[in-house]
Amino acid sequence: MEQTRTDRFKTALLLMAATGLIVGLAFYLAGQPEIANLIWIAGVVPALAALVVEIVRSIGRGEVGLDIVAALSMTAALVFGETLAAAVVAVMYSGGTFLEAFAEGRARRSMQDLLSRVPRTATRHCNGALEEVPLDELAPGDRLLIRQGDVVPVDGTVASDTAFLDTSALTGESLPVRLARGADAMSGSTNAGEAFDLTATREAKDSTYAGIVRLVEEAQASKAPMSRLADRWSLGFLVVTVSIAFVAWWFTGDPIRAVAVLVVATPCPLILAVPVALVAGLSRAAHFGVLIKGAGPLETMARIRTLILDKTGTLTDGRPQIVSIDSHDGMTEDDILRLAAALDQASKHPVAQAIVAAAKARGFTLPVPTEVAEIPGEGVLGRVEDREVIVGGDGFVASRVGRMVGDHPAKGAGSVLVAVAVDGHMAGHLVMSDPLREGAGTMLDGLRRQGIARILLATGDRADVAERVTEGLGLDGLRAGLTPDQKVLLVLSERKHGPVMMVGDGVNDAPALAAADVGVAMGARGAAASAEAADVVLLVDRIDRLGPGIEIARASRRIAVESVVAGIGLSVLGMIAAAFGYLTPVQGALLQEVIDVAVILNALRALRIAPQEPATGKPQAIMSEQADIVQGATP
């Protein structure tokens, strides 16, 4: 709300300054210079007053910006009667601040959106009946019913024989976990199995999910605001400007020359060109499926030296896939997959759905199963085409067909072994795991060539799983078993090597994303919490979009710097000409407009940035469907 009021105020200043300039020119051309002067003054005073207030606030924060030059030029022009020049400067300055506000405005929703994942009410057992109660009324010891698909509202312990929870958004564990009676269940996890009872151990406000929300808020509050790129040259430019104006006045005794110098020095090339280049970069990045939430994050993105990646759903796909099929008794791999998938159509288990998806991807037509019975967390039994089929965990299926459970050679760390029995005999095994995303290794190599010095993995998953998945990637570090607050500490500790980018997709990544210099969320399938906390959202579910995003950010920043240097150079030449009397204040203001146009046209080159393919060096082709989608999301 505060940001909206600020943006409206800056828009009003621009409208008043522009209206004053245009109406004043109309009266001047109509032969009414006195009225024109009054109108020009009326248009300048609001912009000058707002500028002075901002300068005082900046000095109070220990910051010195180029706003001082603009204030000096407007004030001097008014004092010495150069009201037209003052009006032109007011329009240029208010227009620049308007563009800057647009470029750096961050469309962050209220943190209340983060809580939308958790239901507002919970189902509680009370005197042999069920009642819906608000979360605030829950107390430790309450017995709750968690239905299939529900999000666990509070921390608690499982009060049923078994529960099957998807905790990937909290822990990074890619596959759902089976919990026995008495096991701890974290709020924010999703019930992936049958309904179960939960005994609350904490109030909602003290539970895991609420703690993550607080971590995000604290990390966001601790991140210092991004300073404007142009202000880094402010002190030196201010000294040069004042020196030239003072020398011109001192040696000629003509204060108008000093006014002309100040007007030419008005830093509109810096104020305008930088946000134009960066906004163009934002638009270009969105065209490639990378939504950057403002010019500040884009500029920081261009200076990233350390990259920290989450594993599940970020570096990996986040969904179990079939790695291999081991067949027995002469049954073919296709038959095993088709029969298993046909039966698994009756289950909502994530692994079952992955098997069904794999079978459909191979073009199999799946018959409808009959006489289906599902044992939550164990497996499914039924008939497919008059054949008795059992699909589930190795131990579950082995016990049903009277076989001993043995070690399967194909199963590795982080893999899930799904056994398939047909007509009372073990037919085979499906080995499933969460694989690396396609092109992940090539992407990391490309990022190193772009100047990323350190690449680390940070995951809540087990160390052996993380090591297996990332083998051969050449990471500079691997941190496993991390909690959300430990990820934040890792981000903070890595800052000694330079600006840090964190990439993640789950609720557990949100605090680290907020604490990083640039947080990147996998927004296509990621949690709303991570997208809210992030500075950058990948709108398409492809980690390889990160490379083009960084390349666009660096090219945009380079173009912005070029515009700044060119603008300063031309302004200094103009100041020298004004000091020698070759430019009047009005001519100086018009010259500055020409300089503005030149540097803005240069800044607009950012719209033509074409990221290169890591392997071929050719411009990346934009998928038309994705481009159509993301163009509408351009900030």
Side-chain angles (χ1 to χ4, degrees):
M1 184 64 70
E2 181 65 28
Q3 185 63 44
T4 300
R5 286 196 295 266
T6 300
D7 291 344
R8 289 177 179 173
F9 178 69
K10 291 182 178 181
T11 302
L13 287 179
L14 174 59
L15 291 175
M16 285 188 288
T19 301
L21 175 61
I22 295 171
V23 175
L25 282 173
F27 275 98
Y28 183 82
L29 295 175
Q32 300 290 333
E34 295 82 5
I35 298 178
N37 284 333
L38 292 175
I39 293 175
W40 285 330
I41 292 172
V44 171
V45 169
L48 180 58
L51 181 56
V52 170
V53 171
E54 181 59 33
I55 291 172
V56 171
R57 289 177 177 173
S58 298
I59 293 175
R61 296 192 299 265
E63 301 172 0
V64 178
L66 288 166
D67 298 341
I68 295 176
V69 180
L72 286 175
S73 64
M74 280 190 274
T75 302
L78 290 178
V79 169
F80 294 105
E82 298 289 339
T83 52
L84 176 56
V88 174
V89 173
V91 171
M92 289 191 298
Y93 181 79
S94 57
T97 56
F98 172 80
L99 283 177
E100 182 186 47
F102 175 78
E104 294 188 355
R106 308 187 86 174
R108 291 190 180 275
R109 301 183 301 272
S110 168
M111 285 305 300
Q112 191 66 28
D113 290 345
L114 184 58
L115 289 172
S116 62
R117 176 180 166 83
V118 177
R120 302 300 180 191
T121 61
T123 305
R124 183 172 63 184
H125 291 275
C126 183
N127 298 324
L130 296 174
E131 60 178 0
E132 291 290 323
V133 295
L135 292 189
D136 292 341
E137 294 185 12
L138 297 180
D142 285 347
R143 189 181 180 95
L144 311 177
L145 174 65
I146 311 299
R147 292 165 293 210
Q148 187 176 45
D150 282 353
V151 175
V152 178
V154 295
D155 290 346
T157 58
V158 176
S160 299
D161 291 336
T162 186
F164 209 77
L165 294 179
D166 177 2
T167 62
S168 59
L170 296 170
T171 65
E173 178 69 42
S174 57
L175 300 173
V177 294
R178 180 177 181 273
L179 301 180
R181 181 184 293 272
D184 292 330
M186 291 185 291
S187 59
S189 53
T190 303
N191 182 11
E194 299 297 323
F196 69 94
D197 286 347
L198 178 85
T199 301
T201 56
R202 295 179 181 175
E203 296 181 2
K205 63 183 179 66
D206 298 324
S207 292
T208 301
Y209 200 82
I212 289 177
V213 173
R214 285 191 294 272
L215 280 172
V216 173
E217 292 174 331
E218 291 167 3
Q220 287 179 331
S222 67
K223 185 189 293 185
M226 186 69 189
S227 61
R228 289 191 313 217
L229 176 65
D231 286 344
R232 296 173 192 170
W233 289 273
S234 60
L235 189 58
F237 189 74
L238 176 61
V239 171
V240 170
T241 299
V242 174
S243 298
I244 294 176
F246 178 78
V247 169
W249 189 357
W250 177 269
F251 282 100
T252 65
D254 184 5
I256 301 303
R257 291 199 182 187
V259 173
V261 170
L262 292 173
V263 168
V264 175
T266 301
C268 291
L270 309 185
I271 296 170
L272 288 169
V274 172
V276 167
L278 299 185
V279 168
L282 299 179
S283 177
R284 192 61 175 156
H287 193 62
F288 283 84
V290 183
L291 178 60
I292 305 174
K293 298 180 182 178
L298 182 138
E299 187 200 347
T300 309
M301 195 172 175
R303 299 184 293 109
I304 290 300
R305 298 289 296 164
T306 299
L307 174 66
I308 301 176
L309 295 163
D310 174 50
K311 180 181 73 69
T312 305
T314 302
L315 196 58
T316 67
D317 186 67
R319 293 171 291 196
Q321 296 181 20
I322 296 176
V323 176
S324 63
I325 301 176
D326 182 19
S327 62
H328 307 295
D329 295 335
M331 184 169 287
T332 67
E333 294 183 2
D334 285 352
D335 284 341
I336 293 172
L337 177 59
R338 190 177 68 86
L339 291 173
L343 181 60
D344 274 342
Q345 291 179 101
S347 174
K348 290 186 177 181
H349 193 287
V351 173
Q353 292 302 304
I355 293 174
V356 173
K360 290 182 176 179
R362 296 194 185 188
F364 295 157
T365 300
L366 303 180
V368 178
T370 58
E371 302 177 21
V372 177
E374 182 172 5
I375 291 78
E378 298 287 355
V380 186
L381 306 90
R383 299 190 69 82
V384 178
E385 297 177 335
D386 292 329
R387 306 186 74 175
E388 182 183 345
V389 181
I390 307 173
V391 181
D394 196 26
F396 169 74
V397 176
S399 66
R400 294 280 172 163
V401 298
R403 285 188 55 175
M404 297 293 293
V405 178
D407 293 332
H408 194 281
K411 183 178 179 182
S415 297
V416 171
L417 194 64
V418 179
V420 182
V422 178
D423 294 331
H425 300 282
M426 186 68 75
H429 292 85
L430 306 176
V431 181
M432 307 186 71
S433 68
D434 184 16
L436 278 178
R437 288 180 180 269
E438 184 179 357
T442 303
M443 178 207 68
L444 296 183
D445 291 339
L447 292 179
R448 289 191 186 279
R449 287 194 295 270
Q450 290 186 37
I452 303 295
R454 287 174 57 79
I455 301 179
L456 300 92
L457 183 76
T459 179
D461 213 340
R462 304 192 312 273
D464 56 346
V465 176
E467 289 172 358
R468 180 188 61 81
V469 169
T470 60
E471 185 178 359
L473 290 181
L475 298 176
D476 297 294
L478 189 154
R479 308 290 187 272
L482 299 183
T483 60
D485 54 337
Q486 289 172 332
K487 287 187 177 182
V488 171
L489 291 176
L490 175 62
V491 168
L492 297 178
S493 66
E494 285 296 322
R495 279 185 169 167
K496 63 179 179 289
H497 299 293
V500 175
M501 173 184 284
M502 171 73 191
V503 187
D505 79 316
V507 175
N508 64 315
D509 300 316
L513 295 179
D517 295 283
V518 175
V520 181
M522 302 292 294
R525 285 193 290 118
S530 59
E532 171 66 24
D535 303 294
V536 180
V537 178
L538 302 185
L539 298 176
V540 290
D541 191 32
R542 294 180 56 185
I543 188 66
D544 62 359
R545 296 293 89 187
L546 191 60
I550 293 178
E551 186 174 347
I552 290 170
R554 293 191 169 177
S556 300
R557 185 177 185 273
R558 183 179 63 253
I559 291 172
V561 172
E562 291 172 356
S563 299
V564 168
V565 172
I568 288 179
L570 293 173
S571 294
V572 170
L573 293 176
M575 284 189 288
I576 295 174
F580 282 97
Y582 294 111
L583 293 174
T584 66
V586 174
Q587 290 172 336
L590 294 176
L591 175 62
Q592 190 57 256
E593 287 288 1
V594 173
I595 296 174
D596 289 347
V597 171
V599 297
I600 288 173
L601 288 176
N602 181 69
L604 287 174
R605 290 192 299 116
L607 288 172
R608 300 196 302 272
I609 297 171
Q612 302 296 306
E613 289 281 6
T616 65
K618 298 178 181 179
Q620 292 193 8
I622 305 172
M623 292 171 291
S624 59
E625 181 180 352
Q626 292 173 345
D628 291 340
I629 294 173
V630 301
Q631 279 176 343
T634 304

